[in-house]
Amino acid sequence: MTEEDFVAIDCHAHVFTRDLPLAGERRYAPDYDATIAQYLAMLDDNGMSHGVLVQPSFLGTDNSYMLEALTSMPSRLRGIAVVAPDIETDALQVLDRQGVVGVRLNLLGRPDPVFTSREWSRHLGDISRLGWQVELQAEAGRLPALLPPLLASGCTVVVDHFGKPDPVAGIDDPGFRYLLSVGKSRQVWVKLSAAYRNGSAGRAIAQAAIPLLKAEFGLDRLVWGSDWPHTQFERVANPAEARQILSIWLPNAAECDQVLDGSPRKLFRFGG
């Protein structure tokens, strides 16, 4: 794969069909399909060369459909899996060979894991040794408790959706301010994605957050995701608009290119 093959990397999307087995504990169940073919067409239509598929929480630890996508397009796609913390090291290594580069922790509506337990310590050690990331979705107010043990484990952490600050407090949310404070650790990346998931003021919060994130993390620790197919927000979002909004947030073309390509390329293991 050559340098010219890289145009833009979409770092957050989901694929599924409505007939797949659903997890017992879930907040949402889709009534439509978001297929592998549809996702690839979306990338093409919006000038994106590569994508990162994130296992949807409603499918639980059955990553098979996402893995089917990864194996069908190994140079173009990478994956973030959902796994149980007691998964064996060998099983993680198999996922690694299939194009998985991290694990997802969607903690919305769930308790904080006990990262200091023996089970989690072993699991995080495996993740760190593989060079994977922990993709974290949680309200900003929980980050002061969640991030320190993850960072102490040596893991790379990718925080979803601007860190999910409180919709009312916005950038003054103490949890968001804490997130800014860990930028200098160089272990944490933040996704500029799905501002609509941060309430009706989400776009305004995103606009205010970006200069702060740039200052504390640097552009090389910021990545972008379409959040396709915008589960639960299908009527208020679309991938073309998501891409256009990034250019509003980052009007400087070189900065935009850094977030779309330079920052995510190594993080998600594209291009060797």
Side-chain angles (χ1 to χ4, degrees), residues 182-202:
V182 302
K184 292 180 174 58
S185 72
R186 307 297 289 165
Q187 284 180 250
V188 181
W189 276 252
V190 178
K191 281 185 188 170
L192 311 182
S193 61
Y196 45 80
R197 296 193 185 274
N198 296 324
S200 59

Side-chain angles (χ1 to χ4, degrees), residues 17 23 35 45 60 85 93 105 119 156 165 178 183 185 194 201 203 207 218 223 242 254 263-264:
T17 61
T35 67
D45 290 345
Q93 292 171 340
L105 293 182
E119 180 178 71
T156 292
Y178 171 79
S185 72
R203 288 194 182 183
Q207 191 74 58
V223 297
S263 300

Side-chain angles (χ1 to χ4, degrees), residues 151 155 179-189 216-217 221:
L151 299 182
C155 287
L179 175 62
L180 294 176
S181 77
V182 302
K184 292 180 174 58
S185 72
R186 307 297 289 165
Q187 284 180 250
V188 181
W189 276 252
E216 299 302 327
F217 285 84
R221 289 298 184 269

Side-chain angles (χ1 to χ4, degrees), residues 35-253:
T35 67
I36 298 163
Q38 289 170 329
Y39 178 61
L40 295 173
M42 186 281 291
L43 290 180
D44 292 339
D45 290 345
N46 290 281
M48 289 179 274
S49 57
H50 297 73
V52 179
L53 298 175
V54 177
Q55 171 75 347
S57 297
F58 53 79
L59 295 182
T61 59
D62 182 358
N63 298 282
S64 55
Y65 190 69
M66 183 189 72
L67 293 172
E68 179 183 334
L70 301 186
T71 55
S72 71
M73 289 294 240
S75 64
R76 193 175 191 187
L77 300 176
R78 296 291 182 269
I80 304 295
V82 172
V83 300
D86 62 355
I87 187 172
E88 295 293 335
T89 304
D90 290 350
L92 291 178
Q93 292 171 340
V94 171
L95 291 174
D96 185 77
R97 293 192 291 271
Q98 291 174 297
V100 171
V101 295
V103 299
R104 185 188 200 198
L105 293 182
N106 183 350
L107 299 180
L108 300 183
R110 297 174 181 270
D112 292 359
V114 182
F115 290 129
T116 54
S117 69
R118 178 177 297 180
E119 180 178 71
W120 271 102
S121 294
R122 182 196 62 81
H123 184 48
L124 293 175
D126 283 344
I127 292 169
S128 179
R129 284 186 288 274
L130 282 168
W132 282 13
Q133 62 188 259
V134 174
E135 188 218 70
L136 180 63
Q137 180 172 210
E139 298 87 349
R142 301 167 67 183
L143 296 179
L146 293 168
L147 285 177
L150 289 173
L151 299 182
S153 75
C155 287
T156 292
V157 181
V158 179
V159 177
D160 276 350
H161 310 325
F162 295 90
K164 290 193 66 66
D166 177 80
V168 175
I171 60 171
D172 294 322
D173 182 333
F176 178 76
R177 292 290 166 167
Y178 171 79
L179 175 62
L180 294 176
S181 77
V182 302
K184 292 180 174 58
S185 72
R186 307 297 289 165
Q187 284 180 250
V188 181
W189 276 252
V190 178
K191 281 185 188 170
L192 311 182
S193 61
Y196 45 80
R197 296 193 185 274
N198 296 324
S200 59
R203 288 194 182 183
I205 293 171
Q207 191 74 58
I210 284 174
L212 301 175
L213 292 168
K214 284 171 56 178
E216 299 302 327
F217 285 84
L219 285 167
D220 64 338
R221 289 298 184 269
L222 303 180
V223 297
W224 171 84
S226 70
D227 197 39
W228 187 88
H230 321 287
T231 54
Q232 303 183 73
F233 292 87
E234 295 88 350
R235 294 184 180 181
V236 300
N238 66 72
E241 183 183 43
R243 174 62 187 85
Q244 291 162 4
I245 290 171
L246 179 65
S247 295
I248 295 172
W249 290 337
L250 296 174
N252 180 290

